[in-house]
Amino acid sequence: MTTIRNQTRSVSVGTATIGGPSPVTVQSMTNVPTHDIDKCLAQIAQLTDADCEIVRVAVPTADDTAALPQILKQIKIPLVADVHFHYERAIEAIEAGVAKIRLNPGNIKDRQQVERVIAACKANNTAIRVGVNEGSIVERKDKQQHSQEKQVSLVELMVDKMRDYVRIFEDNNFDQLVLSAKCHDAARTIAVNRAIAAQFDYPLHLGVTHAGDIQTGTIRSSAALGALLAEGIGNTVRVSLAGDPTYEVAVAWELLNSLGLRPRTRPEIIACPTCGRTEINLLEMLEQVKTALAPIRQPITVAVMGCVVNGPGEADDADVALCGGKDRAAIYCQGKHIITVPADQAVTALLEQVQIFLAEKKL
Ligand code: SF4
């Protein structure tokens, strides 16, 4: 799919760039205390290994910002400090050397405090994300109702809040801004981001806030971010999931890969859902294949199919494929039938072909 991207400014975030002609980047956030340096570093290492490109940490206390220099020394991806309520945490994080801070207009409102943060960012080449969350819009309490009209009002409140806050940065000649507006509702997230993309030329960080557990959050995030990205809106994404943050990274990459916005760097698995025609234990085989392919860092397409209805067709398009029959399976490589084996040898035979394919591709 070729999407015309919304034109935005470019913002440098350490070694990454958000906006302009740069590809959409993948972010995540740790869920351990930042002042627990070992745990924080271990989680950032896992996220980096999962191909997270920018990582955010919460800094609610001075102990958290005090840990930042140690953390920064030992990580390879840009670090963002998530600041709420206390502008002092922002100054401390900036001086520690983070690449970006996130400010919430809903809880750091004092203009003089914001201007002190802007001055520190200018002095240290630090970017700022202005992150408006629907939960931080206090005016919403006066407006709560359940009609469609009311939903539009909340969107307008969020855009107004963004405009008022951004004006402080523009008055201070600061343009290294990334904007975000998050709701827990996918439709509202789409509406508010469309409005912000139409009114500002700063890059957008997309996300659905408090999206839910891995299943619900994946669906809500895919609905909202997928719609916006397909329209060319959005320059960096964070899929928020209540769970292990490495899932957030995997979901974000699948979303960007599926939309053709980033090339695949890992195996793509195509699998049929199984049905009454399936005569092998396909779901168990699929899990074995997924586990075996997980360490591979090359873009290979592997199909795991239940029968001849769609199996040979998918095998034509895949690099390597398994197509089930009655208690046996046929193995294909680039559409060519290689061998038919008993079902209990099918995964081994498929993985052998994967290794052969990857070895030949390297030559
Ligand atoms: S490929 Fe065959 S087994 Fe799989 S869902 Fe389609 S018809 Fe059913």
Side-chain angles (χ1 to χ4, degrees):
M1 186 179 83
T2 306
T3 309
I4 298 171
R5 311 296 310 155
N6 226 29
Q7 297 301 310
T8 70
R9 300 168 191 239
S10 280
V11 173
S12 295
V13 178
T15 52
T17 304
I18 300 178
S22 300
V24 180
T25 48
V26 171
Q27 306 203 18
S28 185
M29 185 167 181
T30 58
N31 63 5
V32 294
T34 303
H35 60 261
D36 189 332
I37 294 175
D38 289 344
K39 273 193 186 160
C40 191
L41 282 171
Q43 200 167 56
I44 292 174
Q46 287 170 357
L47 289 166
T48 306
D49 196 49
D51 293 338
C52 178
E53 296 175 306
I54 298 171
V55 66
R56 182 160 45 119
V57 296
V59 289
T61 70
D63 283 347
D64 296 308
T65 48
L68 294 175
Q70 282 266 52
I71 293 168
L72 281 160
K73 265 188 231 161
Q74 298 178 67
I75 64 173
K76 295 181 185 142
I77 56 175
L79 189 69
V80 181
D82 193 61
V83 181
H84 295 270
F85 301 107
H86 307 290
Y87 83 100
E88 299 93 330
R89 298 292 91 74
I91 306 276
E92 291 156 9
I94 294 160
E95 290 176 350
V98 297
K100 185 170 67 153
I101 57 160
R102 179 273 172 102
L103 291 184
N104 184 342
N107 58 41
I108 298 185
K109 304 175 189 176
D110 181 277
R111 186 175 177 114
Q112 284 188 337
Q113 292 181 354
V114 176
E115 287 181 340
R116 286 183 65 180
V117 173
I118 293 171
C121 283
K122 280 185 178 176
N124 290 275
N125 209 16
T126 313
I128 299 177
R129 170 162 69 95
V130 174
V132 176
N133 273 19
E134 68 172 357
S136 306
I137 303 280
V138 287
E139 296 86 343
R140 71 201 295 267
K141 295 195 174 104
D142 305 328
K143 301 250 181 187
Q144 262 172 359
Q145 63 180 35
H146 299 293
S147 69
Q148 188 67 22
E149 187 189 335
K150 208 52 167 183
Q151 291 198 357
V152 173
S153 294
L154 184 51
V155 167
E156 287 169 356
L157 280 174
M158 292 176 77
V159 176
D160 288 349
K161 178 75 69 181
M162 182 69 83
R163 194 182 304 107
D164 290 348
Y165 211 61
V166 166
R167 198 166 292 132
I168 304 174
F169 295 84
E170 293 182 339
D171 288 348
N172 284 272
N173 298 314
F174 186 87
D175 65 0
Q176 290 299 290
L177 283 182
V178 177
L179 309 184
S180 71
K182 300 187 182 184
C183 308
H184 70 264
D185 173 273
R188 203 179 295 148
T189 300
I190 293 169
V192 72
N193 278 282
R194 280 180 180 153
I196 286 174
Q199 295 184 40
F200 300 92
D201 67 353
Y202 299 104
L204 295 193
H205 164 126
L206 299 183
V208 174
T209 193
H210 316 136
D213 64 11
I214 288 172
Q215 182 174 339
T216 310
T218 297
I219 295 166
R220 284 192 190 146
S221 298
S222 301
L225 276 52
L228 290 163
L229 290 165
E231 292 175 18
I233 295 171
N235 306 91
T236 183
V237 296
R238 190 255 171 132
V239 172
S240 299
L241 300 175
D244 177 347
T246 56
Y247 285 117
E248 299 187 352
V249 178
V251 173
W253 272 106
E254 185 57 44
L255 186 57
L256 296 179
N257 293 155
S258 299
L259 290 168
L261 292 171
R262 298 287 300 267
R264 286 187 190 275
T265 56
R266 293 171 183 255
E268 176 182 21
I269 300 179
I270 294 162
C272 84
T274 72
C275 71
R277 290 187 188 85
T278 321
E279 295 183 284
I280 54 171
N281 192 345
L282 194 83
L283 299 182
E284 191 181 303
M285 289 180 181
L286 177 61
E287 285 309 309
Q288 291 169 358
V289 171
K290 273 170 63 179
T291 303
L293 296 184
I296 295 176
R297 302 298 181 93
Q298 285 174 270
I300 177 174
T301 307
V302 177
V304 181
M305 302 295 295
C307 81
V308 292
V309 172
N310 292 311
E314 290 291 354
D316 275 347
D317 293 336
D319 296 315
V320 179
L322 176 162
C323 175
K326 179 155 177 53
D327 301 326
R328 56 196 191 141
I331 307 299
Y332 296 80
C333 187
Q334 295 195 292
K336 187 176 153 212
H337 176 248
I338 303 293
I339 190 171
T340 295
V341 294
D344 63 354
Q345 296 169 27
V347 171
T348 304
L350 177 85
L351 296 175
E352 269 173 26
Q353 283 308 310
V354 167
Q355 292 308 328
I356 291 168
F357 177 83
L358 291 176
E360 285 176 357
K361 220 172 132 192
K362 266 193 213 154
L363 293 175

